[in-house]
């Protein structure tokens, strides 16, 4: 049975004319049937008095359709967007966030970037930087078999979009627009790209995302700029379209080229812009993703930042990540990953709350690619693991806690570095060390202390089974597993009366909570961790 297309509406600058917009939407739905979503780009709020908005904010009036909006493009409207990660502004009206990816329950993938371009540091709250653009590209490219995204939402136009295409009217696309957005569109290959701010309507001819005779055929992109709501010239500000998510389409259908398709307008210009440093590469780009569900019906929202040491408009350069031989619960690109638990992402590693954690802030350091143990990690991944460890120590110390880290490379397929905070008031580091050694002796486990600055790779060979503990002082305990080993040993020691005194939590399966509770804990951790987040750069 063929997948039923989604029916969507896209809108340009609303500028506070909420009644005009929503009355128009009601009229369209009455005539043509209901639509699934309304996507608003450009200036959602205007310089007009807030009386009209207050009626929506207080619930006196209600948007007739689930509406998603981008953030501020000027200082005047920043006040309306309190949470950079996105939030509900009013019933049926949701701010997507500063940047990220929204994935609907249907599989539709929407990338969004709020604000206008800024090449200066610090970046104003209503702008995006080269770091933001490169982070979005890098994060999406890390997904296995990346082909592109369904929809890209930005407020400014991409620079050069008129190249090789039909006339853009009074807008000179060689001077107007953002070169950073041109770079983003080149890398993400959206099927639809919507923008506004120029108070005019422009539907560019679709363009190719591949080079004929040199690359395999790929889907085409349609760029559509929309005018401002209620403009006196009656320029088009609302665009209706149907779309089947890319992931549900067969390849032949997806890559079928429209008869009026043109060359990619950015291919040459982005290269020139990069050479001319019009699209500067940041010295240190950041990488961080946030995942959380809006709700089951509306889908999943993932807001992110990222790092890419060698920015390029072409998605072939990032190093291919190690892949698992089969399904893996911890490879970030794997569909098995419970992404709502992910709280931070770097270039090579990410942090996730532990499933059934010993505490609300029990986290895992995990490699993005598939590595079974610390022994197998490449030098660049080891470096970032150490950076995460040092950062988590500072983070927990600020909360009056010390952290214990352990790894069990036995009956596990993907490296999991468990990081468990212990309140300073509970016990000293020596008490934790003694508890591990004592319990190991009771279970006839040979737990040896190894030199503080030793490298596990010097002690264990790839493929060797082992258990390893690192204390906040840098002291390390190591056991080479030869036969059987209790899978919950690390948790049992930390849950014991000598340390956390929660023996009933020694088995993670007895500690599971609802997905809603997990999402709440993840949001709280992200917020608390943000001041310490090294992936955000300076």
């Amino acid at each position: 049975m063929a997948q039923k297309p989604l029916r969507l509406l896209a809108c340009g600058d609303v500028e506070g004319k909420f009644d005009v917009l929503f009355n128009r939407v009601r009229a369209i739905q009455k005539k043509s049937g209901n639509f699934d979503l309304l996507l608003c780009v450009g200036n959602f709020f205007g310089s007009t008095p807030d009386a009209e908005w207050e009626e929506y904010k207080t619930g006196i009036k209600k948007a007739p359709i689930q509406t998603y909006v981008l953030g501020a493009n000027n200082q005047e409207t920043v006040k309306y967007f309190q949470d950079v990660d996105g939030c509900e502004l009013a019933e049926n009206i949701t701010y997507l966030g500063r940047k990220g990816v929204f994935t609907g329950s249907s599989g539709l993938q929407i990338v969004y970037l709020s604000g206008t371009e800024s090449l200066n540091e610090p970046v104003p709250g209503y702008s995006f930087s080269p770091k933001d653009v490169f982070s979005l590209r890098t994060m999406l490219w890390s997904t296995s078999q990346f082909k592109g995204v369904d929809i890209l939402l930005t407020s400014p136009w991409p620079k050069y979009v008129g190249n090789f295409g039909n006339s853009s009217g009074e807008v000179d696309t060689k001077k107007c627009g953002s070169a950073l957005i041109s770079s983003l569109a080149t890398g993400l290959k959206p099927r639809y790209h919507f923008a506004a701010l120029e108070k005019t309507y422009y539907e560019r001819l679709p363009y190719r995302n591949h080079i004929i005779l040199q690359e395999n055929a790929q889907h085409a992109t349609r760029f559509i700029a929309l005018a401002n709501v209620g403009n006196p010239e009656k320029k088009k500000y609302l665009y209706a379209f149907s779309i089947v998510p890319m992931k549900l389409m067969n390849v032949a259908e997806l890559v079928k080229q429209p008869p009026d398709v043109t060359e990619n307008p950015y291919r040459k210009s982005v290269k020139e812009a990069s050479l001319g440093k019009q699209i500067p590469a940041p010295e240190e780009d950041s990488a961080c993703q946030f995942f959380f569900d809006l709700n089951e019906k509306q889908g999943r929202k993932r807001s992110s930042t990222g790092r890419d040491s060698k920015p390029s408009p072409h998605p072939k350069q990032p190093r291919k990540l190690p892949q698992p031989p089969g399904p893996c619960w911890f490879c970030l690109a794997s569909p098995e990953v419970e992404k709502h638990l992910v709280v931070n992402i770097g270039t090579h590693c990410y942090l996730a709350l532990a499933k059934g954690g010993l505490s609300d802030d029990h986290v895992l350091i995990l490699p993005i690619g598939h590595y079974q143990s610390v022994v197998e990690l490449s030098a660049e991944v080891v470096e970032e693991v150490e950076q995460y460890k040092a950062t988590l120590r500072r983070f927990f110390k600020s909360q009056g806690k010390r952290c214990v880290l352990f790894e069990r490379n036995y009956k596990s397929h993907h490296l999991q570095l468990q990081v468990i905070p212990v309140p300073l008031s509970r016990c000293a580091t020596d008490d934790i060390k003694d508890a591990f050694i004592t319990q190991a002796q009771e279970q006839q486990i040979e737990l040896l202390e190894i030199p503080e600055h030793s490298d596990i790779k010097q002690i264990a060979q790839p493929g060797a089974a082992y258990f390893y503990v690192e204390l906040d002082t840098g002291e390390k305990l190591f056991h080479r597993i030869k036969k059987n080993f209790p899978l919950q040993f690390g948790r049992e020691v930390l849950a014991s009366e000598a340390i956390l005194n929660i023996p009933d939590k020694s088995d993670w399966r007895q500690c599971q909570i609802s997905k809603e509770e997990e999402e709440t804990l993840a949001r709280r951790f992200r917020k608390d961790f943000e001041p310490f987040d090294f992936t955000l750069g300076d």
Side-chain angles (χ1 to χ4, degrees):
M1 183 177 176
Q3 171 69 26
K4 184 179 179 181
L6 296 167
R7 304 180 73 229
L8 308 183
L9 290 169
C11 179
D13 304 274
V14 180
E15 296 181 335
K17 297 180 180 178
F18 309 113
D19 287 346
V20 174
L21 169 61
F22 293 132
N23 287 338
R24 177 63 179 151
V25 170
R26 289 188 185 92
I28 291 173
Q29 294 201 125
K30 184 176 181 180
K31 181 179 179 180
S32 305
N34 288 338
F35 283 75
D36 296 290
L37 294 175
L38 169 61
L39 308 172
C40 295
V41 293
N43 294 313
F44 188 68
F45 294 98
S47 56
T48 55
D50 287 344
E52 192 172 307
W53 171 242
E54 283 298 317
E55 293 183 310
Y56 288 90
K57 187 177 178 180
T58 57
I60 296 174
K61 292 182 179 179
K62 175 183 173 182
I65 184 175
Q66 185 61 53
T67 303
Y68 292 97
V69 309
L70 295 183
N73 297 298
N74 52 59
Q75 185 61 51
E76 185 180 6
T77 55
V78 168
K79 62 182 179 181
Y80 296 103
F81 305 97
Q82 298 297 317
D83 189 341
V84 295
D85 295 330
C87 57
E88 186 177 85
L89 301 178
E91 187 175 358
N92 272 1
I93 303 176
T94 300
Y95 164 45
L96 283 167
R98 189 164 175 263
K99 56 187 175 296
V101 183
F102 173 87
T103 304
S105 56
S106 64
L108 186 76
Q109 194 172 49
I110 302 172
V111 176
Y112 54 90
L113 180 64
S114 293
T116 55
E117 176 182 312
S118 174
L119 303 180
N120 300 317
E121 294 287 350
V123 179
Y126 53 87
S127 296
F128 57 84
S129 70
K131 289 184 179 181
D132 297 319
V133 170
F134 294 128
S135 70
L136 280 172
R137 275 192 338 199
T138 304
M139 180 270 291
L140 284 154
W141 289 351
S142 68
T143 305
S144 61
Q145 298 178 331
F146 174 76
K147 296 178 181 177
V149 299
D150 290 304
I151 298 171
L152 172 62
L153 303 178
T154 64
S155 288
W157 289 28
K159 202 170 186 178
Y160 314 114
V161 69
N163 288 0
F164 313 125
N166 49 316
S167 172
S168 52
E170 298 176 359
V171 178
D172 184 350
T173 60
K174 287 184 173 62
K175 298 179 180 178
C176 166
S178 165
L180 288 174
I181 290 179
S182 303
S183 174
L184 183 64
T186 301
L188 300 191
K189 296 178 287 189
R191 294 165 65 199
Y192 284 88
H193 179 181
F194 293 97
L197 297 185
E198 299 300 328
K199 299 187 182 298
T200 191
Y201 168 70
Y202 170 50
E203 182 170 2
R204 190 202 185 279
L205 292 173
Y207 63 82
R208 298 185 188 91
N209 282 297
H210 64 278
I211 302 175
I212 297 175
L213 301 179
Q214 295 184 37
E215 299 175 329
N216 292 331
Q218 299 182 46
H219 59 272
T221 294
R222 298 176 184 275
F223 171 76
I224 297 139
L226 294 161
N228 47 315
V229 170
N231 64 86
E233 298 85 4
K234 299 192 181 301
K235 296 177 180 178
K236 189 170 184 175
Y237 64 81
L238 206 55
Y239 184 92
F241 65 110
S242 297
I243 185 171
V244 173
M246 181 186 299
K247 63 182 296 182
L248 301 178
M249 298 177 67
N250 63 57
V251 175
E253 182 183 6
L254 178 64
V255 304
K256 187 177 180 181
Q257 301 295 294
D260 54 351
V261 69
T262 75
E263 290 299 319
N264 189 311
Y266 317 122
R267 194 172 299 280
K268 182 179 179 182
S269 53
V270 168
K271 182 179 180 182
E272 290 175 345
S274 298
L275 292 173
K277 298 186 178 180
Q278 294 179 43
I279 306 179
E283 292 180 6
E284 181 180 356
D285 296 320
S286 53
C288 147
Q289 291 171 307
F290 301 153
F291 300 76
F292 61 90
D293 286 351
L294 292 175
N295 60 48
E296 184 177 351
K297 180 179 178 182
Q298 295 166 19
R300 185 171 63 254
K301 172 181 176 296
R302 176 174 63 196
S303 120
S304 68
T305 61
R307 170 160 51 191
D308 179 3
S309 59
K310 293 184 179 180
S312 163
H314 304 292
K316 292 186 178 180
Q317 288 193 8
R319 179 178 300 175
K320 189 174 182 180
L321 296 172
Q323 296 299 311
C328 179
W329 288 96
F330 298 102
C331 285
L332 189 57
S334 171
E336 283 80 18
V337 172
E338 294 196 51
K339 292 185 170 62
H340 65 283
L341 293 172
V342 177
V343 292
N344 189 274
I345 290 185
T347 305
H348 309 290
C349 307
Y350 70 100
L351 293 182
L353 289 187
K355 189 82 172 175
L358 281 167
S359 61
D360 291 348
D361 45 6
H362 175 176
V363 293
L364 309 178
I365 304 174
L366 303 126
I368 292 173
H370 189 75
Y371 296 91
Q372 184 168 330
S373 69
V374 164
V375 175
E376 297 179 358
L377 295 179
S378 63
E380 58 190 2
V381 182
V382 169
E383 181 180 354
E384 191 164 277
V385 166
E386 293 300 322
Q387 203 168 3
Y388 265 120
K389 285 157 64 173
T391 302
L392 286 168
R393 287 192 186 102
R394 291 195 300 273
F395 169 61
F396 287 126
K397 185 177 181 181
S398 73
Q399 298 185 332
K401 302 173 185 177
R402 57 170 54 89
C403 60
V404 180
L405 183 146
F406 71 81
E407 177 198 4
R408 187 197 77 230
N409 183 34
Y410 174 70
K411 293 190 177 181
S412 60
H413 300 290
H414 190 110
L415 166 61
Q416 303 164 52
L417 291 175
Q418 309 269 346
V419 184
I420 300 92
V422 177
L424 295 173
S425 58
R426 285 292 309 168
C427 54
T429 301
D430 283 344
D431 297 326
I432 298 173
K433 180 180 175 181
D434 291 344
F436 270 100
I437 293 173
T438 300
Q439 195 147 332
Q441 291 173 342
E442 291 175 358
Q443 300 189 42
Q444 296 183 323
I445 295 171
E446 186 181 24
L447 196 59
L448 304 175
E449 186 168 358
I450 60 177
E452 182 175 330
H453 299 291
S454 61
D455 188 339
I456 296 296
K457 292 185 178 183
Q458 299 171 342
I459 302 170
Q461 297 296 316
Y466 62 84
F467 177 81
Y468 157 80
V469 181
E470 185 172 339
L471 305 175
D472 62 316
T473 55
E475 296 171 275
K476 300 174 183 177
L477 304 173
F478 179 86
H479 169 64
R480 192 186 307 279
I481 299 173
K482 298 175 182 177
K483 219 173 189 180
N484 296 322
F485 184 80
L487 299 183
Q488 304 296 337
F489 177 73
R491 288 182 64 107
E492 288 171 357
V493 175
L494 290 166
S496 66
E497 291 183 9
I499 304 181
L500 291 173
N501 193 25
I502 45 173
D504 56 323
K505 289 191 174 185
S506 59
D507 189 332
W508 71 271
R509 289 166 293 191
Q510 305 302 317
C511 305
Q512 294 191 67
I513 56 178
S514 69
K515 184 177 180 180
E516 289 73 20
E517 291 173 298
E518 289 175 337
E519 291 169 342
T520 299
L521 294 180
R523 283 195 293 270
R524 184 187 306 160
F525 187 95
R526 293 182 199 113
K527 183 178 179 181
D528 293 343
F529 184 72
E530 187 174 3
F532 299 83
D533 186 3
F534 68 87
T535 70
L536 296 177
D538 297 327

